[in-house]
Amino acid sequence: MRTDSSPGTLPAREHLPATDAGTPVLDVVIPVYNEEKDLQPCVLRLHEHLKRTFPYAFRITIADNASTDSTPQVAARLEAELAEVGNFRLEQKGRGRALRTVWSASDAPILAYMDVDLSTDLNALLPLVAPLISGHSDLAIGSRLARSSRVVRGPKREFISRSYNLILRGSLQARFSDAQCGFKAIRRDVAQQLLPMVEDTGWFFDTEMLVIAERAGLRIHEVPVDWVDDPDSTVHIVRTATEDLKGVWRVGKALASGSLPLDRITRPFGDDPRDREIQDVPKGLARQLVGFCVVGGLSTLFYLLLYSVFRQFGGSQVANALALLVSAVANTAANRRLTFGVRGGGGAVKHQAQGLVVFGIGLALTSGSLAALNAASSDPAHSTELAVLIAANLAATVLRFLLFRAWVFPERRESTVVASHTPVPPTPTMQPFHPPLPVRTGGDHFSYDDQFRAGAAADRNWRDATMRLQPVRPADNDPGASR
């Protein structure tokens, strides 16, 4: 999706350096609400697993969502007993609020979270974060719906989960397979740009984050997981499903209107230094071809219908010109928005003028075909006229796509050409954040504009590798938000 204004893109991904330092590589957040019984077994089991299998320094952060039982006392005791465990208390409920707050305050380059019930087998944790450490991917999710996943749960939850993901695929064109598995990770340099764009503070937080990331072209790695349903889960299915559907509608409307500037979180082509010198790389060609073909097919049917109507009142040449003119205006408008992702009214008149030039070329092809047909036969059948027009329109369609892509709606070119293979140092605004990676040797409801201003301000701080961000209490006050 392309917008008319683009503040910039993320730097290319790089492998995080493995050096000795005190900053944890991985920060695993466990959001909890009234989990006094399950919290301690969960943290001890996760801590033991990471100590035994994870090759880097790590931190486990308990994010308490305004619990009213003894969960805060259990969390405080775990923090005092285990050096790798931290505790954060929020006074408002909402899993999304907890993740956004703790992730925004974390200094670890890899941020993850998992549900307190540990339904997901922990052996999938290292495969989850490895692509983020290596620089291969931007986000990673556990998937219960992958072919090689092994899942134990009842038919009711299975039906709800698969239905929800089908809704996401049909309405938001999501390509990831499992939006709600409580087992995800993200690179911190991506989170600092992506989190201000995510509005939900509840269970829809995951879905909104993934949809925005996918639409911006970020790479999402999926890990098949072994997952056993927790029969004692406190999630209110009906209320959560209702809130999720409201979120799908809100995000879909924002994407359709172009109010999300996705160019803020796009990646440049290639992550090898040599690839960064490549210019004018075609973007989204396959998607544009599909969109253009769909629009073109509907435009052709519209054109033929108009031609058949206008032919009742005039000659073939006049009917062809009028039908092509009306369908060309509609075709340009549809391709502008749906195929090439141009939002807003800026440049619309210019695009229509250029589209009319393309229309003139199509008119010349179709009119020439009709003239040749009339020269060959003094009274051709109506079906023959339609067949000739279809063939001429196919030829015009190929040329129309090339002209639309290269002339009417060209990709934005914001970078300058870099000669040969001379290393070019990154500018201050494009300098990636790379905190050192220690190797363990021993045994809210904001408007989008407000969020972007906050994200831009935070961006200046995150680039200081010596700064340790402190947890900040969320400013929103929404006690009715669902957990």
Side-chain angles (χ1 to χ4, degrees):
M1 177 179 177
R2 194 179 68 226
T3 57
D4 291 334
S5 61
S6 175
T9 60
L10 287 170
R13 289 183 298 267
E14 292 183 0
H15 195 300
L16 298 175
T19 58
D20 293 324
T23 304
V25 175
L26 173 66
D27 191 350
V28 182
V29 180
I30 304 177
V32 293
Y33 173 74
N34 290 347
E35 298 288 356
E36 58 184 2
K37 183 178 71 172
D38 295 333
L39 180 57
Q40 180 168 321
C42 162
V43 172
L44 293 179
R45 179 183 166 196
L46 175 60
H47 182 268
E48 187 277 332
H49 176 84
L50 289 172
K51 274 283 192 181
R52 178 169 49 87
T53 65
F54 195 67
Y56 302 110
F58 64 88
R59 180 195 299 128
I60 301 172
T61 302
I62 303 169
D64 180 11
N65 291 168
S67 295
T68 57
D69 60 0
S70 62
T71 295
Q73 290 74 33
V74 176
R77 184 170 64 249
L78 290 169
E79 182 181 29
E81 295 175 355
L82 301 173
E84 294 85 2
V85 175
N87 179 29
F88 193 96
R89 167 76 176 184
L90 291 93
E91 300 303 330
Q92 296 85 25
K93 294 172 62 176
R95 183 180 69 171
R97 177 182 289 109
L99 292 177
R100 182 168 59 192
T101 303
V102 178
W103 279 356
S104 298
S106 177
D107 55 357
I110 305 298
L111 310 169
Y113 95 89
M114 60 181 60
D115 292 334
V116 69
D117 55 19
L118 293 186
S119 295
T120 305
D121 182 16
L122 292 178
N123 287 326
L125 182 56
L126 184 56
L128 182 81
V129 301
L132 309 186
I133 295 175
S134 70
H136 174 269
S137 300
D138 299 294
L139 299 91
I141 64 174
S143 175
R144 299 163 295 185
L145 302 181
R147 290 182 180 275
S148 56
S149 297
R150 296 185 298 179
V151 177
V152 178
R153 61 178 168 181
K156 178 181 178 181
R157 285 183 175 270
E158 181 77 10
F159 174 78
I160 292 174
S161 178
R162 291 189 178 274
S163 298
Y164 179 65
N165 283 281
L166 285 175
I167 291 173
L168 294 182
R169 289 175 178 269
S171 60
L172 299 179
Q173 288 79 51
R175 294 190 297 274
F176 47 85
S177 64
D178 191 352
Q180 291 287 33
C181 180
F183 196 71
K184 295 182 176 67
I186 185 173
R187 284 176 63 104
R188 181 172 178 264
D189 59 342
V190 176
Q192 68 181 23
Q193 297 290 344
L194 180 58
L195 292 182
M197 302 175 69
V198 181
E199 184 176 341
D200 190 77
T201 59
W203 290 95
F204 188 69
F205 174 89
D206 303 52
T207 301
E208 186 171 359
M209 179 179 67
L210 292 173
V211 169
I212 294 175
E214 187 177 69
R215 285 296 187 97
L218 298 182
R219 181 174 292 154
I220 301 175
H221 179 74
E222 294 198 17
V223 178
V225 297
D226 296 344
W227 194 86
V228 179
D229 189 18
D230 178 15
D232 299 324
S233 175
T234 58
V235 177
H236 193 289
I237 296 178
V238 176
R239 182 175 61 193
T240 301
T242 302
E243 294 299 320
D244 286 347
L245 292 177
K246 291 180 180 178
V248 169
W249 170 259
R250 175 176 53 79
V251 172
K253 186 169 64 173
L255 291 171
S257 64
S259 61
L260 285 172
L262 301 180
D263 288 349
R264 286 182 58 91
I265 53 175
T266 57
R267 290 284 193 188
F269 173 78
D271 299 324
D272 187 281
R274 294 167 297 180
D275 294 336
R276 300 172 204 170
E277 301 168 8
I278 300 176
Q279 304 297 317
D280 302 332
V281 179
K283 300 177 182 179
L285 179 59
R287 182 188 62 79
Q288 290 179 355
L289 277 172
V290 172
F292 184 82
C293 289
V294 171
V295 173
L298 295 176
S299 297
T300 300
L301 293 176
F302 184 48
Y303 160 78
L304 294 174
L305 176 63
L306 291 176
Y307 177 81
S308 298
V309 173
F310 292 147
R311 189 66 174 85
Q312 304 297 320
F313 307 100
S316 61
Q317 293 288 4
V318 174
N320 174 65
L322 291 175
L324 198 56
L325 175 61
V326 175
S327 61
V329 172
N331 180 276
T332 301
N335 276 307
R336 181 179 187 270
R337 185 180 182 97
L338 303 178
T339 303
F340 298 96
V342 180
R343 310 295 184 186
V349 175
K350 176 185 175 182
H351 293 154
Q352 282 293 348
Q354 292 172 311
L356 289 177
V357 174
V358 178
F359 150 75
I361 297 175
L363 178 62
L365 286 173
T366 54
S367 297
S369 300
L370 283 176
L373 177 62
N374 290 327
S377 175
S378 58
D379 188 19
H382 183 66
S383 58
T384 304
E385 286 184 348
L386 292 179
V388 170
L389 289 174
I390 291 174
N393 268 286
L394 289 175
T397 297
V398 176
L399 184 59
R400 186 184 305 121
F401 177 76
L402 296 176
L403 289 174
F404 273 180
R405 183 176 173 84
W407 180 49
V408 183
F409 308 110
E411 291 288 346
R412 295 179 62 88
R413 297 176 177 86
E414 301 177 36
S415 56
T416 56
V417 177
V418 180
S420 70
H421 296 288
T422 304
V424 178
T427 63
T429 58
M430 295 295 290
Q431 179 66 36
F433 176 83
H434 297 302
L437 283 146
V439 179
R440 180 164 51 80
T441 57
D444 331 280
H445 184 81
F446 305 105
S447 67
Y448 284 124
D449 290 339
D450 291 340
Q451 290 173 335
F452 295 145
R453 285 194 291 271
D459 182 63
R460 293 191 294 272
N461 294 334
W462 286 43
R463 301 191 193 284
D464 182 1
T466 64
M467 176 174 293
R468 294 178 62 84
L469 297 179
Q470 299 299 320
V472 179
R473 302 294 182 185
D476 48 352
N477 185 12
D478 185 12
S482 60
R483 168 176 168 266

